[in-house]
Every structure is written in structure tokens, then in C-alpha cells.
Amino acid sequence: MCKVYGYCRISRKEQNIDRQVRNIQTEYPDAIIIKEAFTGTKVEGREKFEALLKRVKTGDTIVFDSVSRMSRNADEGFRQYMEWYNSGIDLVFLKEHYIDTATYKNAMHNGISMTGTDVDLILSGVNAYLLKLAENQIKIAFDQAEKEVEDLHQRTKEGIETARLAGKQIGQVQGAKLNVKKKAPALDIIRKHSKDFDGTLTDAECMKLAGLARNTFYKYKRELREQDSEPNPEK
């Protein structure tokens, strides 16, 4: 019997993985959820990921919340994608359905039919081009996942350095009161950029980016976690 696995990955053990689990179970309620805490961008070294490599069989499906959860290293991610595809394993990316293996299969099998004439020389070239186009889309998705991480770290470093050179306070002055009006933007920054949620920044980097004191930063993180743990009344 074919199985559906949901692979969820966070960069550190103290991060919140629940959002990935919820997203997968919303579309695949019977998925076997595999949770992994791993620091790094390469496929190698992920104990549960490697166990999944040995466990998954032809006809099984692996669901990821996004392509970055499979790999943020473009070359290795694409290579693993093709290995699984060639083994008859279906891959689903909730945030990038356009590179699901089902989409790639359609590109493989929906080529232009041959005519049995000399025109087939041209048609075979067109089919090869369409297939290569599909492969490039998959590769681009992994490239983007890797580049987004690199760009975000670079922008954060440049922003902090620019502010420092301009003589601006980096982070909140100790003992200063935080304007309540700044709370919502700060929460948005933490939600978007913190490794504990949707981003890739460390606590120190995120604190500087949000301009928060240490205690306030962790207070806001706790509030966001509490929000995530609350049941959704619409479900």
C-alpha cells in the first residue's frame, strides 16, 4: 500500500514546527509526519531525512510545505528531486505546486505525437525543449530558495551596518520604553524573519533588525507562539 509522508524541517530544535505540520495535514490529513531539527543547507547530515530515503518506496508520496524544507542547496536539491522522480516517488510542494512531480510527468508524457514522417525530426526537438523547460523550472525553484537565504542575510548585515555608520542606535536602548505603536511592525518582522517562524535569521540578527531589547523580543516571540497554538475557529 502506497504511503504519504509529510516532511517538516526546522533549523534548530527550539523552533516551532507546528505551522508546517498544520499546512501538510490540512491537505493530507493521513500523512505520516516526520519532524526534523537540522542546522544547515545540505541534504547530508539530516538523520530523519536520510532514514526517509531508505524508507520511501515506489508509489509513495512525500509532501513538503515548501521547496526550502527539502533543500536550500540548489544542486543537491535538484539531484535528489530527480532521483526520487526516477524511482517513481511523487513529490508535492504546497507553496510551489508548479514543480510537483505530477507537473513534470505531464511535461514528459504530453509531448507532441510523432507523425512517422521527416517532420518527426523537428517534433522530437520540440519535445526535448519542453522537457528541458520543465527541468529548468524545477532547478530555478531550488536556486531561488538558496538565493533568498543568502540575500536576506546580506541585506540584514548591510542594513545594520548602514544604520551604525549613520549613528543610529542598533537595538533598543536599555531601559527605554517601547512605543506600543511599534509592536505590530515588530511582530511582523519577527514572524517574517525569525528562524522560529518563517524566516532564517538568528535571534541576535532579528533583534537588531526589529530594534528590540532582548526581553521584549522574547516576550513577542512567546506571544506569536501562543497565537499559533490557538485553535482556528474557521476549521
Side-chain angles (χ1 to χ4, degrees), residues 1-8 20-35 52 55 60-65 90 92 94:
M1 182 177 178
C2 297
K3 298 179 180 179
V4 177
Y5 298 94
Y7 180 80
C8 305
Q20 294 179 50
V21 175
R22 286 198 305 270
N23 290 345
I24 292 174
Q25 289 183 329
T26 295
E27 294 195 32
Y28 297 87
D30 297 326
I32 302 169
I33 300 298
I34 297 173
K35 301 179 183 181
L52 181 60
R55 181 178 180 182
D60 288 346
T61 299
I62 307 175
V63 184
F64 300 89
D65 185 48
D90 292 324
V92 175
L94 299 182

Side-chain angles (χ1 to χ4, degrees), residues 44 85 90 142 149 156 175 187 197 211 214:
E44 288 84 354
Y85 174 82
D90 292 324
F142 283 104
V149 175
T156 301
L187 290 173
F197 299 98
R214 180 182 179 86

